[in-house]
Amino acid sequence: MISIKNLNKIYKNGSVEVHALKDVNLEIEHGEFIAIMGQSGSGKSTLMNIIGCLDRPTSGEYLLDGIDISKQEQDDLSLIRNKKIGFVFQAFNLIPRTNILRNVELPMIYAKVKSSKRKQRSMELLEKVGLGDRVNHLPNELSGGQKQRVAIARALANTPPIILADEPTGNLDTQSSEDIMEIFKSLNNDGTSVILVTHEPEIARFADRVIVFRDGAIIEDSQKEGVLK
Ligand SMILES: Nc1ncnc2c1ncn2[C@@H]1O[C@H](COP(=O)(O)OP(=O)(O)O)[C@@H](O)[C@H]1O
Ligand SMILES: [Mg+2]
């Protein structure tokens, strides 16, 4: 599904260069559940943004289902992203003055799904994450855990095969974090590939494979057997 070869990302700010990813090689199959770990500044978010087609590598190859992402124009990247990737962020990134039903509808508006179908799907997704009785609430009327469940529902709107989550439990208490991880686990059991960044071992243990970064390079890549499966 994902094939990354000799991937490099260099940020340039004036005369300052940051080599954020250094010759990264990575193969990810459909249906995997991966945790990416590593210290702050080790390149985790940079990799997630490239995998999620939000950014392009400086050099190297990234194939997503056989499509060479580094050669795509910006418009095509957006299309690919909208179809294949669901993003979940630490800060939830919900639209504040818009009820959660509408928040979940947004990716479907970009995908030109008809209004009635959008509403129905948004309802179903919010029910799926346990918020069926809150659809008219605004994001700031919800707890952090509930906000993140809205963000997951939104990420699922266009039925993407891949969910990317960058420190999704970073702002949550232990119980909400566990609840969120159970949702990811169940999505993964239903066939969705899940790639998430975390620095918490208790969160990483939900994954089947753990990849550790240091200074822009992978220093460990280990498959777990039978954990919570
Ligand atoms: N937009 C940017 N411009 C310049 N440097 C950046 C930018 N984004 C990240 N970096 C740098 O790249 C390195 C990796 O950052 P990041 O991928 O965010 O790490 P992590 O997510 O593991 O904390 C860091 O040194 C960071 O300061
Ligand atoms: Mg980060």
Side-chain angles (χ1 to χ4, degrees), residues 11 30 51 54 62 73 106 111 122 132 137 162 166 176 184 189 226:
Y11 293 109
H30 276 288
I51 290 179
L54 291 169
Y62 168 29
E73 298 298 330
L106 276 180
S122 180
H137 282 60
I162 308 169
D166 197 345
S176 306
F184 284 131
N189 285 338

Side-chain angles (χ1 to χ4, degrees), residues 17-134:
E17 287 196 353
V18 178
H19 203 155
L21 293 175
K22 297 170 185 164
D23 283 324
V24 171
N25 290 288
L26 188 58
E27 300 285 327
I28 298 174
E29 303 294 332
H30 276 288
E32 286 203 77
F33 190 165
I34 297 181
I36 297 180
M37 303 190 75
Q39 288 174 351
S40 177
S42 57
K44 306 182 297 295
S45 294
T46 300
L47 179 73
M48 292 292 268
N49 291 342
I50 292 173
I51 290 179
C53 306
L54 291 169
D55 200 0
R56 276 179 289 197
T58 308
S59 67
E61 186 181 83
Y62 168 29
L63 299 183
L64 174 58
D65 289 330
I67 302 166
D68 190 342
I69 296 300
S70 52
K71 294 205 170 68
Q72 301 299 310
E73 298 298 330
Q74 211 60 49
D75 288 356
D76 296 324
L77 271 189
S78 305
L79 282 177
I80 294 168
R81 186 167 61 235
N82 202 263
K83 228 169 51 196
K84 292 195 187 278
I85 311 276
F87 255 108
V88 178
F89 301 93
Q90 176 172 1
F92 319 124
N93 296 12
L94 301 175
I95 311 293
R97 273 176 249 286
T98 304
N99 71 29
I100 65 173
L101 188 76
R102 186 84 177 163
N103 263 277
V104 175
E105 276 184 60
L106 276 180
M108 294 183 268
I109 295 175
Y110 298 130
K112 300 193 167 69
V113 178
K114 272 202 301 204
S115 169
S116 57
K117 193 163 169 226
R118 273 191 335 242
K119 281 216 169 55
Q120 190 196 340
R121 171 118 181 108
S122 180
M123 287 290 282
E124 284 167 8
L125 287 166
L126 284 167
E127 270 160 26
K128 182 170 174 158
V129 297
L131 292 171
D133 57 345
R134 301 292 168 99

